[in-house]
Amino acid sequence: QDILSEIKFLCVLCVFVCVFVQVEKRLDLVKQVTHSTHKKLTACLQGQQGTDMEKRSKKLPLTILAQCMVEGAAVLGDDSLLGKMLKLCGETEDKLAQELIQFEFQIERDVVEPLYVLAEVDIPNIQKQRKHLAKLVLDMDSARTRFQQSSKSSSHPSTLQPGAKSESLREEMEEAANRMEICRDQLSADMYNFVAKEIDYANYFQTLIETQAEYHRKSLEILHSVLPQIKAHQEAWVEKPSFGKSLEEHLNISGREIAFPIEACVTMLLECGMQEEGLFRVAPSASKLKKLKASLDCGVLDVQEYSSDPHAIAGALKSYLRELPEPLMTTELYDEWIQASNIQDMDKRLQALMAACEKLPTDNLNNFRYLIKFLAKLSEYQDANKMTPGNMAIVLGPNLLWTHTEPNMTEMMTTLSLQIVGIIEPIIQHADWFFPGDIEFNLTGSYGSPVHTNHNSNYSSMPSPDMDQSDRKQQHDQSRRPLSVATDNMMLEFYKKDGYDIR
């Protein structure tokens, strides 16, 4: 009977050990992963763990940033765009900080602490029980061995009073077996509970993602609510740079029809540069040009300072035109302009140029018209300034129209530049045919510049700006042929003689 009981016990123990080994391996892996995740997750928290929300908030980097921004806004004041931005963004960062504190507090309570208990308390307790069970098994084996040895000795004829000792060892063995069984049952229950609760442990990570989603949703709502205010402040601020910005963007922001750098430079040149020799050709002082461009960019301009340096003004105008993301005469119409320049018959060339001109977008057309009218007026003083329509076309043409890809210098100095000259020169010469009527250069009334008047006496009559293209062509065919442009040989001689800067 003892042998049968022992065999039964060993069978049960073997089954338990097999199950135990599988679960124990799982325990080790879960502990390792949970411990690592807890450590990394804790490192992600920016707030100080274990403290109340107020103390956490004070030491949170985002709160410190928000406070710095608000203090900076107070220093700069609401009259400054930076001051307005800092105040608005500082208040927003503070709201985000409060959401972050709430998020971290919830993550610590619902995820970090349960992971810690699982990795550092629950699983170690099960593993501790496992070690205790192993000790009880050894104790039971030892008691059984002593009992078996006592039983063998009691069967020997020379042994005296064997019954009392054998009974005592039996009781000790049974007590050891009972303790072992109780521990085994408790360990089994804990292990089965661990396996059964895996869905609860998995919920920790679901809670993490759900809490993150809610935190980001609330943070996004805060950001979305403040972005319209930020954009409104930006749009309301008229002091925006114009160099390097698209013409349309600059005009929309400033509410102007003519770009500020173009009008400012033209009106100043009308006052101080019309008889300046080599205007647009002579390079200005680099430092003076840089300063003038910067002042035009911020909308603050001291006219008196630059009235004695018309070359700097002309250089700033050239720079603005060249730094436009798209040429004033547009990339889209580039091929059409070049095809028009290749037409040998002057009447047909002018008609082709007119057709291309009429396709310009409204903003580009208005500014191109304004600039051409000014250059036409400048040509009235060519005896003094030496800037004929051909010369102006050479130095300004490449700033009004260029290829999709930057050509090499040799190409620009030859064929390409001559084609652009063949476009710009006749337009300047016949500005009042392309753009009939007078023009007020000083649109903002800041500089008191004169009104441009019709100076092209080669045309007996000018087409009305209200005419459609067919009527304009009919009237043009009936009128005298305009002055011809300079020949290609004349342009080449001009390059060789003076080496003009075509930029």
Side-chain angles (χ1 to χ4, degrees):
Q1 186 177 1
D2 291 339
I3 294 174
L4 290 174
S5 298
E6 186 171 350
I7 291 174
K8 182 179 179 181
F9 168 76
L10 290 175
C11 290
V12 173
L13 185 61
C14 286
V15 173
F16 172 76
V17 169
C18 290
V19 175
F20 172 79
V21 169
Q22 294 178 356
V23 177
E24 188 176 34
K25 288 181 179 178
R26 188 65 167 267
L27 277 171
D28 290 336
L29 292 175
V30 171
K31 180 183 178 182
Q32 178 184 350
V33 171
T34 307
H35 175 79
S36 176
T37 303
H38 170 267
K39 184 178 179 181
K40 300 301 182 183
L41 182 56
T42 302
C44 291
L45 302 180
Q46 300 181 36
Q48 186 177 2
Q49 282 188 272
T51 58
D52 59 33
M53 295 184 65
E54 184 177 355
K55 290 182 179 179
R56 279 190 175 200
S57 179
K58 289 181 180 179
K59 294 187 177 181
L60 194 70
L62 202 56
T63 304
I64 297 173
L65 172 63
Q67 184 178 356
C68 177
M69 286 183 167
V70 172
E71 291 174 353
V75 172
L76 295 176
D78 289 340
D79 293 337
S80 164
L81 179 60
L82 279 177
K84 292 180 179 180
M85 290 296 102
L86 282 171
K87 182 179 180 180
L88 197 55
C89 292
E91 293 171 350
T92 303
E93 296 297 340
D94 186 63
K95 292 178 182 178
L96 292 174
Q98 296 307 312
E99 288 297 333
L100 179 59
I101 290 296
Q102 292 281 357
F103 161 72
E104 291 193 351
F105 187 81
Q106 186 174 352
I107 288 296
E108 185 177 342
R109 182 192 63 198
D110 297 339
V111 182
V112 174
E113 291 180 1
L115 285 176
Y116 175 83
V117 172
L118 176 61
E120 309 300 333
V121 179
D122 292 346
I123 294 179
N125 282 342
I126 296 175
Q127 292 173 330
K128 187 176 180 181
Q129 273 190 310
R130 168 66 182 88
K131 292 179 181 178
H132 183 58
L133 176 61
K135 181 178 180 302
L136 291 177
V137 170
L138 291 176
D139 291 345
M140 187 195 68
D141 289 342
S142 177
R144 180 185 293 111
T145 300
R146 290 195 305 272
F147 169 71
Q148 290 174 347
Q149 289 176 350
S150 175
S151 298
K152 291 179 181 179
S153 299
S154 64
S155 64
H156 197 278
S158 62
T159 304
L160 300 176
Q161 298 180 341
K165 183 176 181 182
S166 178
E167 187 65 26
S168 174
L169 290 173
R170 176 187 288 276
E171 291 178 357
E172 181 181 347
M173 182 189 68
E174 291 176 350
E175 185 179 353
N178 187 49
R179 288 197 301 269
M180 185 274 297
E181 188 172 353
I182 293 173
C183 182
R184 184 193 64 190
D185 292 342
Q186 182 61 47
L187 179 60
S188 298
D190 289 344
M191 283 186 166
Y192 291 140
N193 284 334
F194 168 78
V195 174
K197 286 183 177 180
E198 184 163 343
I199 189 171
D200 295 331
Y201 305 145
N203 280 337
Y204 298 157
F205 299 98
Q206 179 179 342
T207 300
L208 171 64
I209 299 302
E210 289 175 346
T211 306
Q212 283 182 311
E214 181 66 11
Y215 160 67
H216 288 298
R217 184 186 65 78
K218 291 181 178 179
S219 298
L220 191 60
E221 286 180 356
I222 293 173
L223 294 173
H224 278 166
S225 66
V226 77
L227 278 174
Q229 301 177 54
I230 290 177
K231 291 179 180 178
H233 283 306
Q234 296 277 15
E235 291 172 359
W237 196 260
V238 296
E239 296 175 7
K240 295 183 177 69
S242 52
F243 280 78
K245 304 297 181 181
S246 74
L247 180 66
E248 181 182 8
E249 178 185 354
H250 167 62
L251 297 180
N252 288 339
I253 289 173
S254 61
R256 302 176 61 89
E257 180 180 317
I258 304 300
F260 173 69
I262 294 179
E263 182 185 346
C265 291
V266 164
T267 50
M268 285 192 293
L269 289 175
L270 286 168
E271 294 293 335
C272 65
M274 302 302 284
Q275 300 192 45
E276 186 70 24
E277 184 174 347
L279 195 66
F280 292 108
R281 179 174 64 85
V282 177
S285 163
S287 60
K288 184 72 74 174
L289 176 60
K290 183 178 180 180
K291 180 180 178 182
L292 176 55
K293 288 173 61 178
S295 66
L296 289 170
D297 246 350
C298 68
V300 178
L301 187 61
D302 185 352
V303 178
Q304 298 300 322
E305 179 181 359
Y306 298 100
S307 60
S308 60
D309 192 355
H311 295 295
I313 302 171
L317 178 55
K318 287 173 63 178
S319 292
Y320 173 76
L321 294 171
R322 188 61 189 179
E323 291 175 24
L324 285 172
E326 183 185 39
L328 186 61
M329 297 170 71
T330 75
T331 303
E332 184 179 353
L333 294 175
Y334 176 82
D335 292 336
E336 189 166 341
W337 288 115
I338 295 300
Q339 290 173 7
S341 71
N342 293 328
I343 298 174
Q344 297 300 315
D345 182 84
M346 186 50 57
D347 288 342
K348 293 181 179 180
R349 182 190 297 190
L350 288 171
Q351 290 295 337
L353 292 175
M354 175 66 80
C357 191
E358 289 174 342
K359 294 180 182 178
L360 286 171
T362 302
D363 290 337
N364 297 68
L365 180 60
N366 291 336
N367 283 266
F368 184 60
R369 171 178 179 269
Y370 182 93
L371 189 62
I372 291 298
K373 285 287 202 176
F374 163 71
L375 295 177
K377 187 167 188 64
L378 182 64
S379 68
E380 295 178 5
Y381 300 86
Q382 59 185 274
D383 290 341
N385 57 39
K386 310 302 181 187
M387 297 304 292
T388 63
N391 294 348
M392 285 186 283
I394 291 172
V395 294
L396 278 175
N399 299 288
L400 295 170
L401 183 65
W402 57 83
T403 57
H404 306 282
T405 57
E406 191 70 27
N408 58 51
M409 186 56 66
T410 302
E411 182 183 4
M412 286 195 67
M413 292 294 287
T414 54
T415 306
L416 182 61
S417 290
L418 291 172
Q419 288 175 316
I420 295 177
V421 169
I423 298 168
I424 303 301
E425 183 181 10
I427 295 178
I428 295 175
Q429 285 178 323
H430 310 294
D432 292 310
W433 181 75
F434 281 93
F435 307 110
D438 298 339
I439 184 172
E440 173 60 64
F441 290 110
N442 191 10
L443 297 174
T444 57
S446 302
Y447 307 106
S449 300
V451 174
H452 173 76
T453 56
N454 190 332
H455 63 278
N456 190 347
S457 58
N458 290 298
Y459 263 96
S460 57
S461 60
M462 291 295 107
S464 168
D466 297 325
M467 284 185 179
D468 60 26
Q469 189 170 357
S470 59
D471 292 339
R472 187 188 299 272
K473 183 177 185 303
Q474 181 178 2
Q475 181 168 346
H476 174 267
D477 292 338
Q478 295 172 353
S479 61
R480 292 177 53 193
R481 175 173 174 161
L483 296 175
S484 64
V485 297
T487 64
D488 290 353
N489 288 334
M490 290 175 62
M491 291 298 99
L492 289 173
E493 288 299 318
F494 187 85
Y495 278 120
K496 293 177 182 178
K497 180 179 179 181
D498 295 298
Y500 287 149
D501 175 16
I502 63 173
R503 298 285 292 181

